[in-house]
């Protein structure tokens, strides 16, 4: 082992693993475009205040998990911990609200960074696919956004995802709810973790997402299970909206559960929030593969323009792990099609030419660039495991007919270059 190791919580994607990532990326792009989204690529680094001010100064992802650094010009920058705030920044900075369209629909794909304790499905560098819609919302639009996620799952043959949905209402409802939580948790605060002792002052909703106190028992009860629920503080319109979205989900046969405890950890959400949950019999069971919701005030807060937004992000690393567990990559191969063996320097040059012709014709061709002896070249074939082997020597160059070995059927025949390319393509594994 060399003396360098990857940074804790980061991953190398090599060969088929990189291929898997590419498959998901391509499917995500294709699906998003079908639903009318266009791609946006924003920088991985942003001014730290893009997140601090908008994701929430007291949220875990900003307060504890953000990668912050000063550049040489003494600017405080952050590696983005999530996608939405940067997309809103770009939406405003590029005046995308001025296109005259009723909605602006954008999708992104890229790495995010959070200084978390690495564990199953949790990394410090991970990838998200996400989309954001800017413009006046409706339950139909919300359904369309959710359908796009299920459209991607279907495209990838992922069938074990359930939607969890809830409404967290407007600012007023949340502030009344926060008071109710404060009153409730103040009874137990001495037993709670130091973070929750802070959260009760700053934002008691975050206590509900606490990883340390989630199973805390006091007075013989699990305290999280008896906390007040947001639904008792929602205005009638918010209740109606949740009801309307649920009826639509039913009519589109989307598997869903209303989860009255779902509040989500970021400041900007309002009204409907949701998560996509993996249902499986492995270590990923009940883990969220993604989440999102509406954000009525984020654009206004960042740019003084009153346009509501909504969106979601999917964790691609978790989606990949789920797909691997489902066996969806079982047949994925990156075998090469053909290895060209050459017996002297002149035929090596011919082999190189032949490889070029084949590669232009979309075949995966490989050769030995060093050896003229058969032994090391057949050894290379054993390692690369191609379906076909071509042998080039003096005689072949003279006649223009090459020996093609079919490794699978253990047969061999002579063909012209044109014929052998056709033959290889015909029987491509
Ligand atoms: P969030 O922005 O926290 O709602 O995250 C959305 C999705 O991104 C989650 O459901 C996960 O699939 C994924 N995600 C968030 N944090 C991590 C992480 N540290 N490692 C891997 N995936 C993550």
């Amino acid at each position: 082992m060399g003396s360098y190791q990857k940074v804790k919580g980061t991953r190398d994607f090599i060969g088929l693993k990189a291929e898997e990532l590419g498959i998901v990326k391509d499917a995500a792009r294709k699906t998003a475009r079908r639903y009318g989204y266009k791609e946006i690529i924003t920088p991985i680094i942003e001014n730290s205040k893009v997140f601090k001010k908008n994701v929430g100064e007291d949220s875990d992802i900003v307060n504890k998990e953000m990668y912050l650094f000063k550049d040489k010009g003494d600017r405080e920058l952050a590696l983005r911990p999530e996608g939405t705030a940067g997309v809103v920044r770009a939406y405003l900075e590029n005046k995308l609200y001025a296109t005259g369209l009723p909605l602006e629909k954008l999708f992104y794909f890229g790495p995010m960074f959070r200084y978390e304790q690495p564990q199953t499905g949790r990394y410090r560098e991970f990838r998200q696919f996400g989309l954001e819609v800017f413009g006046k919302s409706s339950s139909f639009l919300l359904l369309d956004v959710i359908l796009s996620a299920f459209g991607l799952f279907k495209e990838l043959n992922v069938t074990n995802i359930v939607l969890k949905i809830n409404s967290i209402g407007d600012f007023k409802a949340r502030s009344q709810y926060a008071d109710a939580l404060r009153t409730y948790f103040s009874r137990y605060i001495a037993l709670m973790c130091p973070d929750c002792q802070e959260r009760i002052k700053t934002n008691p909703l975050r206590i509900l997402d606490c990883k340390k106190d989630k199973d805390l028992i006091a007075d013989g009860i699990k305290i999280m299970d008896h906390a007040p629920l947001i639904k008792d503080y929602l205005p009638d319109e918010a209740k109606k909206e949740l009801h309307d979205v649920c009826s639509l989900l039913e009519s589109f046969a989307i598997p869903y559960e209303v989860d009255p405890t779902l509040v989500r950890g970021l400041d900007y959400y309002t009204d409907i929030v949701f998560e996509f949950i993996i249902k499986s019999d492995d270590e990923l069971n009940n883990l969220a593969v993604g989440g999102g919701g509406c954000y009525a005030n984020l654009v206004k807060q960042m740019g003084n323009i009153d346009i509501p937004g909504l969106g979601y992000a999917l964790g691609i690393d978790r989606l990949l792990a789920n797909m691997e567990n489902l066996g969806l990559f079982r047949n994925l191969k990156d075998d090469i099609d053909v290895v060209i063996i050459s017996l002297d320097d002149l035929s090596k040059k011919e082999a190189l030419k032949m490889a070029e012709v084949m590669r232009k014709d979309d075949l995966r061709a490989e050769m030995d660039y060093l050896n003229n002896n058969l032994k090391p070249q057949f050894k290379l074939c054993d390692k690369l495991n191609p379906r076909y082997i071509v042998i080039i020597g003096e005689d072949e160059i003279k006649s223009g007919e090459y020996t093609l070995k079919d490794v699978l059927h253990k047969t061999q025949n002579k063909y012209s270059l044109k014929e052998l390319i056709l033959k290889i393509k015909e029987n491509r594994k």
Side-chain angles (χ1 to χ4, degrees):
M1 192 169 73
S3 52
Y4 297 110
Q5 282 161 29
K6 61 181 177 291
V7 171
K8 187 174 171 184
T10 64
R11 315 174 67 189
D12 297 318
F13 287 78
I14 299 167
L16 286 180
K17 289 272 173 226
E19 203 94 340
E20 292 176 8
L21 187 61
I23 288 173
V24 173
K25 193 171 177 175
D26 290 347
R29 270 214 173 97
K30 195 157 99 181
T31 310
R33 294 174 68 84
R34 278 185 199 146
Y35 283 80
Y37 291 79
K38 58 185 178 206
E39 184 159 12
I40 180 164
I41 301 171
T42 62
I44 286 166
I45 48 174
E46 294 276 357
N47 250 301
S48 64
K49 63 175 195 268
V50 169
F51 307 108
K52 282 190 170 170
K53 288 233 158 79
N54 301 298
V55 176
E57 208 117 24
D58 57 344
S59 66
D60 277 2
I61 76 169
V62 166
N63 193 13
K64 292 200 202 144
E65 297 166 3
M66 199 146 70
Y67 281 87
L68 286 172
F69 60 99
K70 288 256 170 103
D71 73 3
K72 289 193 165 51
D74 211 33
R75 301 170 190 90
E76 192 186 63
L77 305 180
L79 296 185
R80 62 183 182 196
E82 60 93 61
T84 303
V87 171
V88 174
R89 195 266 313 134
Y91 171 79
L92 287 162
E93 194 169 345
N94 294 285
K95 299 191 173 52
L96 299 181
Y97 48 82
T99 56
L101 289 167
L103 294 175
E104 186 67 29
K105 293 169 133 189
L106 302 169
F107 77 90
Y108 60 87
F109 197 109
M112 307 290 158
F113 303 83
R114 294 182 195 176
Y115 191 78
E116 290 191 89
Q117 207 41 48
Q119 48 179 277
T120 304
R122 198 176 289 287
Y123 304 95
R124 290 186 176 170
E125 183 195 39
F126 58 98
R127 285 130 282 268
Q128 282 187 341
F129 158 70
L131 49 84
E132 315 291 345
V133 189
F134 299 98
K136 195 166 162 32
S137 189
S138 71
S139 36
F140 297 122
L141 177 61
L142 230 136
L143 186 86
D144 196 66
V145 165
I146 291 168
L147 284 175
S148 71
F150 279 88
L152 173 58
F153 300 144
K154 183 143 193 278
E155 178 77 26
L156 294 169
N157 292 317
V158 172
T159 50
N160 62 341
I161 309 281
V162 169
L163 181 80
K164 275 194 180 172
I165 189 162
N166 193 24
S167 174
I168 55 170
D170 55 7
F171 180 73
K172 190 167 154 228
R174 267 204 314 291
S175 126
Q176 287 171 353
Y177 179 52
D179 287 343
L181 287 176
R182 234 174 240 126
T183 309
Y184 174 78
F185 284 117
S186 61
R187 275 176 263 168
Y188 308 110
I189 200 66
L191 305 170
M192 299 179 81
C193 73
D195 287 335
C196 282
Q197 296 182 355
E198 255 328 286
R199 288 172 181 138
I200 198 163
K201 292 179 229 151
T202 54
N203 189 345
L205 269 76
R206 297 218 202 286
I207 295 177
L208 303 171
D209 286 333
C210 180
K211 289 165 202 145
K212 286 197 202 114
D213 287 339
K214 73 179 188 339
D215 296 318
L216 189 67
I217 292 179
D219 299 340
I221 58 161
K222 211 168 165 183
I223 64 167
M224 292 300 170
D225 289 354
H226 292 77
L229 294 172
I230 183 82
K231 72 178 167 53
D232 297 321
Y233 300 85
L234 290 181
D236 288 344
E237 317 89 83
K239 285 185 193 152
K240 180 174 179 309
E241 191 190 19
L242 183 59
H243 176 266
D244 289 351
V245 173
C246 289
S247 322
L248 283 169
L249 288 170
E250 264 156 48
S251 61
F252 280 78
I254 299 292
Y256 80 96
E257 295 160 14
V258 174
D259 178 352
T261 65
L262 179 68
V263 292
R264 304 212 20 94
L266 315 181
D267 264 4
Y268 48 66
Y269 286 117
T270 53
D271 308 301
I272 302 275
V273 291
F274 50 85
E275 280 185 348
F276 304 100
I277 308 292
I278 299 172
K279 292 287 169 197
S280 60
D281 50 15
D282 50 50
E283 76 288 356
L284 300 176
N285 192 33
N286 282 327
L287 212 58
V289 74
C294 303
Y295 44 88
N297 309 313
L298 182 60
V299 178
K300 188 164 180 207
Q301 185 177 312
M302 289 182 73
N304 228 352
I305 292 172
D306 197 2
I307 297 174
L310 105 106
Y312 65 75
L314 299 179
I316 297 307
D317 300 71
R318 283 189 201 171
L319 188 57
L320 280 175
N322 183 38
M323 289 177 71
E324 277 164 12
N325 291 356
L326 291 173
L328 295 175
F329 295 121
R330 218 175 278 142
N331 297 325
L332 197 63
K333 291 196 177 97
D334 63 355
D335 292 351
I336 58 167
D337 296 307
V338 53
V339 171
I340 307 166
I341 290 181
S342 43
L343 305 177
D344 52 54
D345 278 353
L346 186 67
S347 39
K348 206 158 280 303
K349 192 172 157 197
E350 275 314 298
L352 207 51
K353 273 194 205 156
M354 183 184 275
E356 271 301 283
V357 175
M358 288 174 163
R359 289 161 178 166
K360 280 193 182 130
D361 220 345
D362 198 34
L363 290 180
R364 297 192 69 196
E366 189 51 292
M367 58 182 278
D368 186 320
Y369 302 91
L370 275 182
N371 300 291
N372 290 334
N373 294 335
L374 278 175
K375 204 171 161 196
Q377 300 197 65
F378 274 115
K379 223 173 181 175
L380 178 70
C381 292
D382 285 347
K383 290 229 167 85
L384 294 175
N385 190 29
R387 167 73 194 268
Y388 291 100
I389 299 171
V390 179
I391 302 174
I392 306 185
E394 229 177 281
D395 295 346
E396 282 80 4
I397 297 175
K398 260 188 220 142
S399 66
E401 298 251 291
Y402 306 91
T403 308
L404 180 70
K405 275 177 172 293
D406 180 334
V407 179
L408 187 67
H409 294 124
K410 299 194 169 56
T411 56
Q412 71 178 54
N413 274 302
K414 290 222 164 199
Y415 295 103
S416 70
L417 177 57
K418 219 173 180 176
E419 285 165 346
L420 70 83
I421 288 180
L422 279 177
K423 190 86 195 154
I424 298 170
K425 282 194 137 173
E426 211 171 87
N427 292 323
R428 214 166 185 182
K429 276 191 268 189

